[in-house]
Amino acid sequence: MWALKYSRRLVLLQLLLLQLPWLDTAVAKKDKPEISSHRLDNAPSNFFYFDDSNTILLHNREGGIVHRSEDAGKTWDKVDIAGGKAWDLWRHPHDNQKAYIMGKGSTHWHTNDQGKTWQDFEIPKARPSLFRAPLAFHTEDSDKVLIHGEVCKIGGLIDCKETTFYTKNGFKEVGVLRENTRGCVFAHATPEFDTGDEDKNDDRVVCVTTGRISFDRREHRLAVSDNYFKDEHEPLLEGDRTVHGIINIAVVKGYIVAAARAPNTDELAMYVTDDASTWHRAVFPSDSRLKEDAYTILESTSYSIQVDVMTVEPPNPMGVLFTSNSNGTYFTKNIPHTNRNMNGIVDFEKVQGIQGIVLVNVVDNYEEVEGSFGREEKRLKSQISFDDGRNFKDLTADKKSLHLHSVTEMSNIGRVFSSPAPGLVMGVGNTGKYLKDYEEGDLYISDDAGLTWTLALEEAHKYEFGDQGSILVAIYDEGPTDVIQYSLDHGKKWHKVDLPENKIRAKALTTTPDSTSMKFFLWGTKGGGSKTEHWVFSIDFEDMHEDKCKEKDFEKWTARLDEDGKASCVMGRKQFYNRRKADADCFIREKKFEEIEPDFETCKCTEEDFECDYNFVRSEDGKKCEPGGPLPDPKGVCKDGAKKYKASKGYRKIPGNGCEGGKNLEGEEEEYDCEHTLKPPVSGEINTERTAFPAKSFRGYFYLERTESSSESSKVGKDETVVMRTDKSDVYISRDHGKTWDQILKGEEIKDIYPHPHLNDACYFVTTSNVVHYTINRGDTFDSFEAEAEPTRDRDLAALSFHADFKDWLIWTGAVDCDKKGSCHNNAWYSTDRGSDWKVLKRFVRKCEFIKEEGRGDKEKLVYCESFKDEKLDGPLQLLSSDNWFANEKVHFNNIVDFATMSEFIIVATRDQSDKDSLKVDASVDGQTFADALFPSNFNVPVQKAYTVLDSHTHAVFMHVTVGNHKDAEYGSIIKSNSNGTSYVLSLDNVNRNTPGYVDFEKMLVLEGVALVNIVANIEEAEKGSGKKLKTMITHNDGAEWSLIKAPQNDAEGKAYDCDAGNVADCSLHLHGYTERRDPRDVFSSPSAVGLMMAVGNVGEYLTTKSEKTSDTFITRDGGIEWHAVKKGNYMWEYGDQGSIIVIVRDTVSTDEILYSLDEGQTWTPYRFSQKKVHVAILSTVPSDNSRNFLLWGQEEDSDSEIVTFNLDFTQIKERQRQCRLNENDLNDPDSDYYVWEPKHPSQDNNCLFGHIAQYHRKIIDRDCYNGRSIQHLHSIAKNCECTRADFECDYNYEPAKDGSCKLVPGLSPPDHSKICKEDPERKSYFTPTGYRRIPLSNCEGGNELEKYEPQERPCRGYEQEFAEMHRGLSGFWLFVFAVLLPGGIATAVGYWVWRNWDGKFGRIRLGEQG
């Protein structure tokens, strides 16, 4: 009743006022803004205006609550729909009616009316992604949204699968877009982007996805779909090649940008498309490289991309600003030494609403900062450009240089300097030489878009623009205050207004995004500590000033002025605004929520309106366009013997440029030499370059190979660098694969060369003293540091340890007290600045290593040390770890022999407490927790003397355990672990090893699950002193089954072997393995020649001695199933151009010729490379086997004082002049030079391996072309297969029987599979053991699922009733899992890693005694 009476009184009062004509309505107006306040329970975590409205949503994450205000913050209502579960709040960027509340789980909410009403929606079994923005939007159809989520099995971080969902109808329905994504975008995500195809514009989605069979980020790729991934294709990014290693994707105005990273480099390749169909690689100047976490895509334009590339690394990072041409492919330098912070944020901002004006901060003392590793403080200066970054000049206030705090030190939300208010720019800073601290700054303003500045208010203030610039609001920002200030005349005069509360500390001041509102929103805090209060304020100017602005109150304002104060042109147009005069006594009320549109005048064309046309690039000085390569011959002019011809200068008008008349560079021609239209003449022959060195032998060589993401310039992109050390400790470098050599570090006695295992560009040269030389640019320049001691004197230990992520982090192991008898020991130091500063890590160590490895969730500073207990050299060796540089440490084991890291596993050999003469193994996958490794119960080795860790790249550890340790009769068993390295099953007995502990075991690169070993066939005789008799065996299913290798029918001369190849037991192929190699890098297979292996061996009952008479050279083209004899005798081999060229040369015999094959070894052509016979010690090429150059290393017969190298260059042979064509999207393309090959298991009729059919690209053998850029050989997984015996191995406590089945070891019990219920609380049942467990690589489905063959399915505790109603037949396998955290990803391809990063171990890491 009270409310009714009150409302009636209000109506009567309004009527009474209307009846009093003598009452001037002006008395109702106010002389200051109305301010209202509201207290919040917690700090807001996010708030925003809906565009073109006074409605605000505010999110309080701590309380899980969203608040809503319809009157710009004057009054508030709680959005009572999430029940305290509101985890995040998102505004639709293209629809001012829609917003989204994300919950922590699968339930979320959306609004279509600015938050008046909300509807919930479900993302099935998923929670929002923790790794990327949960939502991605379509610019035209706001009902289309992508949702990034995670589907987790156990509700935690264990075993989560990133999955993207989608809706086309505003969340009425939600479907799965694609699993295993790493971020997706609509192609039409911005108004500026246009595919040029209406259908593609509507639904095209681009995603970063995982590899086809691997989650390794090096295999991440792009996938594109126009029908929400009912179908998808992988776009061609570099010519006709797809690119893997995609790490990120973004839509920037009218472009989609993708970044790719190759292994062992921090350099990135950037790919750009402006239509979501055709991609180009972005080309930067030759002295600039994109690095991961070292470039920032800035606010760009509709006609160019602007990128800041870091040039000086943290802690004081700097960059250089680049701008692209109109299709985003060629970048030119704008301004160097830009300021950036540790998060990659750059001091760069465009003035909103005005084309071409940019403010930046640059580092003035860049020379001092560059080499200081953070010790020199940056001195910043502010600069401004009025022509899109082509020219910059200082800001000035009162004829003094002005410097402003920018984006790296944001003190408010939104843009830093400007708003849509035309020409008004504000900032906090100071005049003088450099930028001072924020608290020493004042508030400055410019009303001519930054051309001139004046002091607005003393001391630092937050500020905001309203009513299109007719209202400016500021609040003190150096401490608490109880007033705000405002100006109505572009900052000339300011007025104070008291806040309704006591003093607050301002946190944010904002208004509507278009700055047309007369209402402002302020958030601040009162008090401190636990008594902190959070307040929000509404500041309303609507009841001030009775007049609306009239025509006389506006002026035509020129947006940009040149040096002479005249209107300047950008993109062929002058820009003007009709804006309110500074002294006009009015507000622009009627244009609320309407942004001012500029007027334009057309300019005459000048050079700035043109860019370089296709096939042309900017010159280094940026002044003209130059041919980017050979030019086409116009109309065949040069064929008639002419020496010159005329053609375009290489310019085109920038698309979208509006200039008319004036200069027309498109029509200008220039004279070119006809020779520039032709490629260099092809000799058709192999070219050879000989170099001699004054030495007796080579002591080591290393390739510093450029990666696929490296820049393509001739200076840094195409060279093939190799470094070499001689027996005289002289070091040489070649940048052209041995054609020319230069001696480096003359006068220095180089003891060892350490290529950085995680960065191909870096290499360290250790001297016999404490001086270390290094290069980080592959020999362009060299630097040095002094370590704290000379390098360790232990030959089996490395002096340097490198961090996988932080390339400048080093651990140095040095020898100290070596002048005292019996006191020489190792200490370890660490450096985080590439050796400039060292700190003690640990004393009395054997070795220390960084543990951080991709695939393991290790802490960044986690270090393991083997340290002598109590610093006594005769004491036991402890395994210690620390994640804070040993300020604190953890003792893992008190008496170890050694530890090894490989992929995601850490394996430790410790002395058995019950038997000090025996060893035991422990394993960890998280670097923190270890568990005992349980060996097979039927594997009885009373005294375990030595282990060799062989391989772990198939998500399981292969380990050789020495069984027989008699000298020259050593052998052992290979056992294979489960996925956390703790439970082992027997794979193969009697495997050969040598006295130092290395094993005849080798995994084939690229193909899954293929490995070769040599076994000792005469154990008893060998242990009695007879020589070993070896046989070679091969597995095609990752060690589950082994077999002898079927012998070829005929030898290399076409003659039949003198044994029956049908009787495999007495007549099979045997190969000389790892234990006989001079160089462990001489492996059978190649990382890029899929399916190929070469080896030296013999056909017979056993492997014979390696000699010219008894050994032949063999090749297989199908992954080891069928082998062919190549040549009689011993040969070394190398693969080039991904296997399209194979070179072999005689081993142990002097020669003057090599043989090469262009058809995978079917035919061979001799080539004489020397006039003299040469004893060739090494045949090499780049580690990726992707070069057409090879190197022979040796000594000529008549010389004992000099060694030689021969470069063999195959780039000129006529059969390899055309690059092969690959059509990823049409395998039946008749013009394609590739076919699809499917590997198979020899005992299977189909091509199923590990539960799927893998398809690989291989070059058609007789096509005369070269591969060039590395092919992504794995084309696809054609299908998943039904399970067979080949997909299973024997479970724990089971062993293979003679018939191939798995039988329980007599006297032992089956493993307890019920423990899977504890590991997975959602599991309702489990299967009792059958004796089989699925191979970790296999993803077979249905068929003969042996882990379910005649088992009993039993309910998990608590699910007995549900179990009775459950559908039987759940797929999957379960094995005994110990209390060790599961690893988060698939292990990396360790074979390729070893080949690229030889560290003296090559996967044969010995733990224990060597003989």
Side-chain angles (χ1 to χ4, degrees):
M1 179 62 75
W2 180 89
L4 180 60
K5 288 180 179 179
Y6 179 82
S7 62
R8 286 176 177 172
R9 289 176 183 172
L10 185 59
V11 172
L12 289 172
L13 177 61
Q14 291 172 346
L15 290 173
L16 177 61
L17 291 173
L18 289 172
Q19 291 171 358
L20 299 176
W22 50 267
L23 184 63
D24 186 355
T25 59
V27 301
K29 298 295 181 180
K30 300 174 181 177
D31 60 358
K32 61 182 180 180
E34 179 184 355
I35 302 178
S36 57
S37 60
H38 179 84
R39 183 178 175 182
L40 301 174
D41 294 333
N42 302 103
S45 52
N46 183 22
F47 54 83
F48 57 77
Y49 279 86
F50 286 97
D51 282 350
D52 300 338
S53 79
N54 284 318
T55 301
I56 304 175
L57 290 183
L58 182 149
H59 177 222
N60 166 15
R61 176 170 288 177
E62 187 175 346
I65 299 169
V66 174
H67 298 269
R68 180 176 183 270
S69 173
E70 287 189 345
D71 49 16
K74 186 174 183 180
T75 60
W76 292 89
D77 296 309
K78 187 181 294 185
V79 178
D80 192 20
I81 49 93
K85 297 180 181 179
W87 174 250
D88 211 350
L89 177 66
W90 286 80
R91 176 178 65 89
H92 198 297
H94 310 297
D95 190 328
N96 68 349
Q97 299 296 310
K98 294 184 177 179
Y100 309 88
I101 297 174
M102 307 302 293
K104 291 183 179 180
S106 59
T107 303
H108 316 283
W109 299 265
H110 69 101
T111 178
N112 296 318
D113 54 14
Q114 296 189 345
K116 291 180 182 177
T117 60
W118 295 81
Q119 296 79 41
D120 63 355
F121 63 93
E122 293 283 329
I123 307 299
K125 299 181 181 179
R127 67 185 185 193
S129 173
L130 299 176
F131 304 104
R132 59 202 86 257
L135 302 174
F137 303 96
H138 195 284
T139 188
E140 288 187 353
D141 189 343
S142 61
D143 282 339
K144 294 177 178 177
V145 182
L146 305 179
I147 311 98
H148 296 124
E150 296 175 350
V151 179
C152 299
K153 282 187 178 180
I154 311 179
L157 289 174
I158 298 176
D159 198 14
C160 290
K161 180 186 293 185
E162 282 197 71
T163 303
T164 300
F165 302 82
Y166 74 99
T167 179
K168 297 191 293 183
N169 51 20
F171 292 100
K172 293 176 183 176
E173 297 172 297
V174 176
V176 174
L177 179 77
R178 197 188 191 285
E179 295 180 338
N180 296 320
T181 56
R182 296 297 184 266
C184 298
V185 296
F186 282 108
H188 201 32
T190 64
E192 295 86 356
F193 193 90
D194 191 346
T195 64
D197 185 319
E198 189 172 339
D199 293 334
K200 294 176 182 176
N201 235 22
D202 198 40
D203 289 323
R204 173 157 284 201
V205 177
V206 184
C207 292
V208 180
T209 72
T210 58
R212 291 185 171 91
I213 59 172
S214 171
F215 294 102
D216 188 332
R217 72 172 188 164
R218 291 176 291 188
E219 299 298 322
H220 290 182
R221 58 195 182 91
L222 284 186
V224 178
S225 177
D226 296 321
N227 55 12
Y228 296 95
F229 284 88
K230 293 177 183 175
D231 302 300
E232 67 177 65
H233 71 274
E234 189 172 356
L236 307 178
L237 302 188
E238 188 126 10
D240 61 358
R241 300 287 197 268
T242 60
V243 173
H244 287 192
I246 304 295
I247 62 172
N248 206 353
I249 186 172
V251 183
V252 184
K253 293 292 180 75
Y255 309 89
I256 299 178
V257 179
R261 176 181 180 270
N264 288 66
T265 182
D266 56 0
E267 189 172 356
L268 300 181
M270 191 168 86
Y271 298 91
V272 182
T273 178
D274 56 7
D275 62 3
S277 296
T278 303
W279 293 76
H280 302 278
R281 178 167 178 165
V283 178
F284 287 80
S286 60
D287 60 349
S288 302
R289 301 190 303 159
L290 288 182
K291 292 186 178 181
E292 188 171 10
D293 298 326
Y295 76 100
T296 304
I297 299 177
L298 303 168
E299 180 186 11
S300 299
T301 68
S302 59
Y303 50 85
S304 67
I305 303 172
Q306 290 181 299
V307 176
D308 188 87
V309 177
M310 186 169 69
T311 55
V312 175
E313 297 182 359
N316 269 351
M318 294 188 300
V320 58
L321 178 64
F322 294 92
T323 298
S324 77
N325 62 347
S326 62
N327 65 3
T329 54
Y330 289 100
F331 284 78
T332 54
K333 187 180 297 184
N334 290 126
I335 186 169
H337 319 309
T338 51
N339 183 52
R340 31 190 309 135
N341 66 14
M342 300 280 283
N343 298 318
I345 306 299
V346 182
D347 277 345
F348 170 99
E349 186 174 287
K350 293 180 178 291
V351 172
Q352 192 171 358
I354 303 177
Q355 269 186 326
I357 302 183
V358 180
L359 289 96
V360 300
N361 281 345
V362 296
V363 181
D364 189 61
N365 61 329
Y366 60 90
E367 292 179 333
E368 292 90 337
V369 171
E370 281 177 348
S372 71
F373 282 99
R375 291 186 290 272
E376 188 73 27
E377 188 173 346
K378 289 187 283 190
R379 296 197 292 266
L380 305 183
K381 301 182 74 170
S382 296
Q383 295 195 312
I384 189 167
S385 171
F386 293 92
D387 56 5
D388 248 350
R390 285 189 290 273
N391 298 286
F392 283 87
K393 65 179 185 178
D394 291 347
L395 280 66
T396 58
D398 194 22
K399 298 182 180 180
K400 299 176 182 177
S401 293
L402 174 66
H403 315 289
L404 301 175
H405 293 272
S406 185
V407 187
T408 59
E409 298 179 276
M410 288 187 65
S411 63
N412 202 4
I413 61 174
R415 302 179 74 87
V416 176
F417 300 118
S418 63
S419 77
L424 288 173
V425 189
M426 299 175 72
V428 173
N430 58 271
T431 57
K433 291 184 177 181
Y434 310 110
L435 182 64
K436 299 178 182 178
D437 290 342
Y438 184 78
E439 290 75 14
E440 297 183 59
D442 301 317
L443 180 63
Y444 287 83
I445 186 168
S446 170
D447 68 352
D448 54 12
L451 187 64
T452 61
W453 295 78
T454 57
L455 177 67
L457 291 170
E458 292 184 347
E459 299 185 291
H461 287 70
K462 296 185 192 298
Y463 47 88
E464 190 54 276
F465 309 81
D467 196 39
Q468 297 182 16
S470 64
I471 306 171
L472 306 178
V473 177
I475 185 168
Y476 179 65
D477 197 27
E478 295 184 27
T481 183
D482 56 3
V483 299
I484 65 161
Q485 300 194 60
Y486 68 92
S487 173
L488 306 179
D489 58 1
H490 292 188
K492 295 179 176 66
K493 297 177 183 178
W494 291 85
H495 310 276
K496 293 184 178 181
V497 182
D498 292 334
L499 290 170
E501 299 298 325
N502 293 330
K503 289 188 175 184
I504 67 156
R505 182 67 170 90
K507 296 295 183 181
L509 174 65
T510 188
T511 185
T512 56
D514 58 13
S515 291
T516 62
S517 175
M518 301 173 68
K519 297 180 179 181
F520 297 78
F521 176 73
L522 171 67
W523 163 42
T525 59
K526 288 172 58 176
S530 61
K531 295 183 179 180
T532 301
E533 298 176 2
H534 295 271
W535 288 82
V536 291
F537 302 84
S538 170
I539 306 168
D540 187 355
F541 287 82
E542 286 196 346
D543 286 337
M544 292 180 62
H545 283 284
E546 65 282 6
D547 291 336
K548 297 178 183 177
C549 293
K550 299 179 177 60
E551 187 175 347
K552 67 179 178 63
D553 298 311
F554 291 88
E555 63 181 352
K556 183 179 181 181
W557 175 74
T558 304
R560 289 180 307 274
L561 298 176
D562 59 20
E563 296 286 343
D564 300 323
K566 298 179 181 179
S568 62
C569 299
V570 168
M571 285 294 285
R573 299 187 298 180
K574 299 174 182 177
Q575 190 175 4
F576 304 91
Y577 278 98
N578 192 35
R579 74 174 187 181
R580 171 188 172 274
K581 296 177 181 177
D583 57 357
D585 193 16
C586 61
F587 286 147
I588 315 174
R589 300 172 184 274
E590 61 189 17
K591 294 187 180 294
K592 185 168 68 172
F593 306 137
E594 293 182 21
E595 293 185 41
I596 301 178
E597 295 297 328
D599 297 319
F600 294 97
E601 289 183 9
T602 302
C603 302
K604 289 185 177 181
C605 296
T606 65
E607 289 187 8
E608 283 74 20
D609 299 304
F610 296 86
E611 65 181 8
C612 294
D613 204 350
Y614 295 107
N615 295 325
F616 287 82
V617 296
R618 282 281 175 190
S619 58
E620 285 291 326
D621 59 10
K623 293 182 178 180
K624 64 178 183 177
C625 294
E626 297 177 336
L631 297 175
D633 179 3
K635 300 179 182 178
V637 171
C638 293
K639 292 182 180 179
D640 298 329
K643 294 183 178 180
K644 302 278 187 180
Y645 72 96
K646 283 189 175 182
S648 166
K649 276 190 172 182
Y651 292 92
R652 67 169 184 166
K653 187 191 284 189
I654 300 170
N657 190 293
C659 73
E660 295 178 0
K663 203 163 190 176
N664 181 19
L665 294 183
E666 282 183 314
E668 294 186 4
E669 290 188 335
E670 187 169 333
E671 199 169 57
Y672 296 94
D673 293 330
C674 279
E675 63 184 29
H676 291 159
T677 68
L678 307 172
K679 292 184 178 180
V682 175
S683 67
E685 298 178 352
I686 302 170
N687 292 321
T688 303
E689 294 288 346
R690 173 188 177 275
T691 307
F693 305 89
K696 293 185 177 181
S697 65
F698 299 101
R699 289 296 172 89
Y701 73 93
F702 298 93
Y703 283 91
L704 309 181
E705 185 179 6
R706 266 298 176 190
T707 65
E708 295 293 348
S709 62
S710 302
S711 54
E712 289 293 327
S713 72
S714 59
K715 178 181 177 184
V716 296
K718 296 179 180 178
D719 61 310
E720 296 176 350
T721 301
V722 59
V723 294
M724 173 265 290
R725 184 172 72 97
T726 71
D727 61 340
K728 293 185 175 181
S729 296
D730 293 331
V731 178
Y732 296 83
I733 188 169
S734 173
R735 305 304 299 272
D736 53 12
H737 209 137
K739 294 175 183 175
T740 58
W741 293 87
D742 295 305
Q743 186 175 354
I744 56 176
L745 307 175
K746 292 181 180 180
E748 297 285 346
E749 188 175 353
I750 304 301
K751 177 177 180 286
D752 288 301
I753 301 177
Y754 289 83
H756 197 303
H758 310 289
L759 183 64
N760 283 10
D761 290 349
C763 189
Y764 291 75
F765 302 84
V766 176
T767 67
T768 53
S769 68
N770 65 333
V771 176
V772 178
H773 302 272
Y774 66 88
T775 176
I776 58 171
N777 48 28
R778 304 170 56 256
D780 277 352
T781 59
F782 288 86
D783 208 336
S784 65
F785 61 77
E786 291 188 3
E788 296 297 302
E790 66 176 78
T792 176
R793 296 188 178 185
D794 191 329
R795 293 184 179 181
D796 292 331
L797 298 179
L800 279 169
S801 174
F802 302 88
H803 197 283
D805 293 339
F806 297 97
K807 306 304 188 292
D808 291 333
W809 288 17
L810 305 172
I811 294 176
W812 176 262
T813 304
V816 296
D817 293 339
C818 294
D819 55 344
K820 302 175 185 177
K821 187 176 181 180
S823 299
C824 188
H825 65 277
N826 292 332
N827 288 351
W829 293 264
Y830 73 94
S831 172
T832 58
D833 53 11
R834 206 186 307 139
S836 292
D837 185 46
W838 293 96
K839 294 182 174 62
V840 173
L841 183 69
K842 189 72 179 171
R843 293 181 173 86
F844 284 86
V845 300
R846 183 172 176 269
K847 68 176 181 179
C848 293
E849 292 182 10
F850 290 111
I851 299 299
K852 176 68 178 178
E853 191 73 38
E854 189 172 337
R856 273 199 312 260
D858 307 323
K859 296 181 179 179
E860 291 174 347
K861 296 180 182 178
L862 185 60
V863 173
Y864 273 33
C865 285
E866 295 178 0
S867 177
F868 290 97
K869 188 175 182 179
D870 299 328
E871 297 188 357
K872 296 179 179 179
L873 292 176
D874 57 354
L877 203 58
Q878 295 180 310
L879 181 62
L880 312 176
S881 73
S882 175
D883 57 14
N884 58 7
W885 309 122
F886 281 88
N888 305 101
E889 64 184 42
K890 179 179 180 179
V891 179
H892 293 280
F893 300 97
N894 276 310
N895 198 351
I896 73 164
V897 175
D898 205 350
F899 77 93
T901 61
M902 185 176 285
S903 295
E904 72 264 51
F905 300 101
I906 303 171
I907 309 296
V908 181
T910 65
R911 298 196 182 278
D912 195 326
Q913 295 299 314
S914 59
D915 183 355
K916 298 297 183 181
D917 293 326
S918 186
L919 305 180
K920 61 186 290 289
V921 171
D922 290 79
S924 175
V925 291
D926 67 351
Q928 302 288 343
T929 306
F930 284 85
D932 290 342
L934 295 186
F935 288 176
S937 297
N938 60 323
F939 180 66
N940 185 21
V941 183
V943 179
Q944 297 175 23
K945 288 287 188 180
Y947 311 114
T948 306
V949 182
L950 300 173
D951 182 89
S952 64
H953 81 272
T954 53
H955 213 39
V957 176
F958 279 86
M959 186 184 297
H960 181 277
V961 181
T962 297
V963 176
N965 206 33
H966 297 288
K967 183 173 175 57
D968 296 327
E970 298 90 351
Y971 71 95
S973 296
I974 292 178
I975 56 177
K976 180 185 175 185
S977 79
N978 60 352
S979 61
N980 60 16
T982 58
S983 172
Y984 289 78
V985 294
L986 182 64
S987 179
L988 187 64
D989 279 323
N990 305 334
V991 178
N992 182 52
R993 57 152 277 199
N994 62 11
T995 300
Y998 296 114
V999 179
D1000 275 343
F1001 173 94
E1002 184 167 321
K1003 278 288 190 81
M1004 186 178 185
L1005 303 178
V1006 184
L1007 289 189
E1008 306 166 288
V1010 180
L1012 298 96
V1013 300
N1014 284 336
I1015 62 168
V1016 181
N1018 62 331
I1019 296 294
E1020 292 184 4
E1021 294 89 341
E1023 289 188 329
K1024 293 177 181 179
S1026 298
K1028 294 180 186 176
K1029 293 182 179 180
L1030 304 182
K1031 288 176 174 268
T1032 300
M1033 302 191 77
I1034 191 169
T1035 178
H1036 294 271
N1037 57 3
D1038 211 36
E1041 298 171 297
W1042 295 86
S1043 62
L1044 296 169
I1045 301 177
K1046 184 180 178 181
Q1049 291 291 333
N1050 301 310
D1051 65 15
E1053 297 174 348
K1055 300 177 183 178
Y1057 287 103
D1058 57 1
C1059 64
D1060 181 7
N1063 181 8
V1064 179
D1066 296 329
C1067 185
S1068 60
L1069 177 62
H1070 309 289
L1071 307 173
H1072 294 277
Y1074 184 86
T1075 59
E1076 297 183 67
R1077 288 184 188 149
R1078 292 194 302 270
D1079 190 335
R1081 290 174 286 190
D1082 297 335
V1083 293
F1084 295 147
S1085 57
S1086 164
S1088 61
V1090 62
L1092 298 181
M1093 284 193 286
M1094 292 194 72
V1096 171
N1098 63 275
V1099 170
E1101 187 176 2
Y1102 304 108
L1103 180 66
T1104 60
T1105 303
K1106 189 176 183 180
S1107 69
E1108 283 296 308
K1109 293 183 179 180
T1110 60
S1111 298
D1112 293 337
T1113 303
F1114 298 86
I1115 192 170
T1116 176
R1117 305 180 187 94
D1118 56 9
I1121 295 175
E1122 186 174 351
W1123 291 77
H1124 308 272
V1126 169
K1127 288 291 175 184
K1128 303 289 285 183
N1130 300 332
Y1131 282 81
M1132 293 180 278
W1133 60 89
E1134 271 294 357
Y1135 308 91
D1137 190 41
Q1138 303 171 58
S1140 88
I1141 305 171
I1142 304 175
V1143 173
I1144 62 175
V1145 66
R1146 296 296 293 266
D1147 190 8
T1148 69
V1149 176
S1150 295
T1151 183
D1152 57 3
E1153 78 171 15
I1154 56 106
L1155 296 164
Y1156 69 92
S1157 174
L1158 305 180
D1159 54 12
E1160 296 185 353
Q1162 293 181 358
T1163 61
W1164 296 88
T1165 303
Y1167 171 73
R1168 189 180 183 191
F1169 66 88
S1170 174
Q1171 299 299 317
K1172 301 177 181 180
K1173 295 281 187 179
V1174 179
H1175 177 79
V1176 179
I1178 304 167
L1179 168 61
S1180 71
T1181 187
V1182 296
S1184 66
D1185 292 347
N1186 194 28
S1187 175
R1188 285 178 282 166
N1189 280 262
F1190 301 80
L1191 259 182
L1192 298 173
W1193 311 68
Q1195 192 167 33
E1196 292 170 339
E1197 276 190 337
D1198 59 353
S1199 173
D1200 60 359
S1201 61
E1202 117 180 325
I1203 51 180
V1204 290
T1205 61
F1206 293 87
N1207 166 270
L1208 306 177
D1209 185 350
F1210 283 76
T1211 59
Q1212 294 291 298
I1213 62 174
K1214 62 181 184 300
E1215 297 91 343
R1216 292 295 180 267
Q1217 292 307 300
R1218 175 180 66 87
Q1219 184 168 7
C1220 303
R1221 184 175 184 274
L1222 171 65
N1223 190 337
E1224 287 267 13
N1225 300 315
D1226 183 4
L1227 301 180
N1228 298 314
D1229 183 352
D1231 293 329
S1232 176
D1233 294 304
Y1234 296 87
Y1235 70 100
V1236 171
W1237 175 71
E1238 297 177 355
K1240 63 182 180 180
H1241 193 285
S1243 64
Q1244 294 177 190
D1245 295 330
N1246 57 26
N1247 292 345
C1248 289
L1249 277 175
F1250 304 108
H1252 57 261
I1253 295 177
Q1255 296 181 328
Y1256 293 86
H1257 292 297
R1258 290 183 69 170
K1259 176 182 170 292
I1260 298 172
I1261 289 180
D1262 60 359
R1263 293 294 174 91
D1264 287 339
C1265 58
Y1266 66 91
N1267 286 302
R1269 180 183 173 86
S1270 291
I1271 304 163
Q1272 304 302 331
H1273 284 286
L1274 181 62
H1275 171 71
S1276 69
I1277 301 300
K1279 69 173 184 177
N1280 288 340
C1281 306
E1282 290 187 344
C1283 298
T1284 67
R1285 172 65 179 87
D1287 295 298
F1288 296 87
E1289 59 193 4
C1290 293
D1291 201 353
Y1292 185 68
N1293 283 355
Y1294 289 80
E1295 62 182 350
K1298 291 183 178 180
D1299 62 0
S1301 63
C1302 295
K1303 302 295 184 182
L1304 185 66
V1305 177
L1308 299 180
S1309 301
D1312 182 6
H1313 282 192
S1314 69
K1315 293 193 175 184
I1316 194 63
C1317 297
K1318 296 179 181 178
E1319 296 293 329
D1320 184 357
E1322 296 182 2
R1323 173 61 50 187
K1324 295 180 174 61
S1325 67
Y1326 66 94
F1327 290 93
T1328 56
T1330 66
Y1332 299 89
R1333 69 181 187 187
R1334 193 176 301 224
I1335 295 169
L1337 282 177
S1338 178
N1339 52 6
C1340 66
E1341 299 172 345
N1344 190 13
E1345 297 184 273
L1346 293 178
E1347 81 271 54
K1348 300 178 185 177
Y1349 184 67
E1350 295 183 358
Q1352 293 182 352
E1353 187 179 12
R1354 295 179 179 175
C1356 292
R1357 182 174 296 181
Y1359 288 99
E1360 290 82 1
Q1361 187 172 351
E1362 289 185 50
F1363 174 76
E1365 302 173 359
M1366 274 179 54
H1367 175 69
R1368 193 175 180 83
L1370 294 173
S1371 65
F1373 83 105
W1374 309 106
L1375 58 147
F1376 189 78
V1377 181
F1378 290 84
V1380 178
L1381 189 68
L1382 292 174
I1386 300 296
T1388 56
V1390 79
Y1392 192 31
W1393 180 90
V1394 169
W1395 174 247
R1396 300 176 62 91
N1397 304 286
W1398 166 243
D1399 61 0
K1401 293 182 286 192
F1402 190 64
R1404 315 303 197 258
I1405 303 174
R1406 301 158 296 166
L1407 303 178
E1409 297 178 12
Q1410 297 176 10

